[in-house]
Amino acid sequence: MKEINELGDYSPPIIYSALSPIYDAYLSLRGYGKRYSHEILALSGIFKMGKKPKNVLDVGCATGTLLIELKKAFPDINVIGLEPDNYSLIKAKKKME
């Protein structure tokens, strides 16, 4: 297995690069908007943990929709999003402000 620093720059597949600017709108049109985010969070069991989580790491956070919904539910939570697509990560940061 290669170390991360040996992998070089990440280049997302062209279809994902092309969709990055319209990712949120595309997901909403496909029926995977906020409702879907709520379903994912419910399935994760995070609301049934018995105590509030302190930290959550979202690997492949895209534009941060799940992290935003978590912050709404748990305002004191520390959320970290990892995303290889720079455009999506920048959009996630803007949405979190």
Side-chain angles (χ1 to χ4, degrees), residues 46 49 52-59 64 66-82 96:
I46 199 163
M49 291 176 51
K52 290 192 307 184
K54 294 180 183 175
N55 302 294
V56 170
L57 171 64
D58 184 357
V59 178
L66 283 176
L67 296 175
I68 291 166
E69 295 304 314
L70 275 172
K71 285 292 279 184
K72 288 179 184 176
F74 305 105
D76 297 330
I77 196 172
N78 180 41
V79 296
I80 300 168
L82 296 178
M96 292 291 284

Side-chain angles (χ1 to χ4, degrees), residues 4-82:
I4 287 181
N5 60 0
E6 295 175 9
L7 294 175
D9 292 333
Y10 173 79
S11 180
I14 188 66
I15 186 67
Y16 298 118
S17 298
L19 288 177
S20 290
I22 60 167
Y23 181 79
D24 289 333
Y26 174 77
L27 288 184
S28 291
L29 288 173
R30 300 275 307 171
Y32 300 118
K34 287 186 180 181
R35 179 188 60 81
Y36 189 68
S37 298
H38 291 279
E39 290 178 22
I40 291 171
L41 292 175
L43 288 171
S44 76
I46 199 163
F47 299 112
K48 297 179 183 179
M49 291 176 51
K51 61 179 181 176
K52 290 192 307 184
K54 294 180 183 175
N55 302 294
V56 170
L57 171 64
D58 184 357
V59 178
C61 69
T63 61
T65 302
L66 283 176
L67 296 175
I68 291 166
E69 295 304 314
L70 275 172
K71 285 292 279 184
K72 288 179 184 176
F74 305 105
D76 297 330
I77 196 172
N78 180 41
V79 296
I80 300 168
L82 296 178

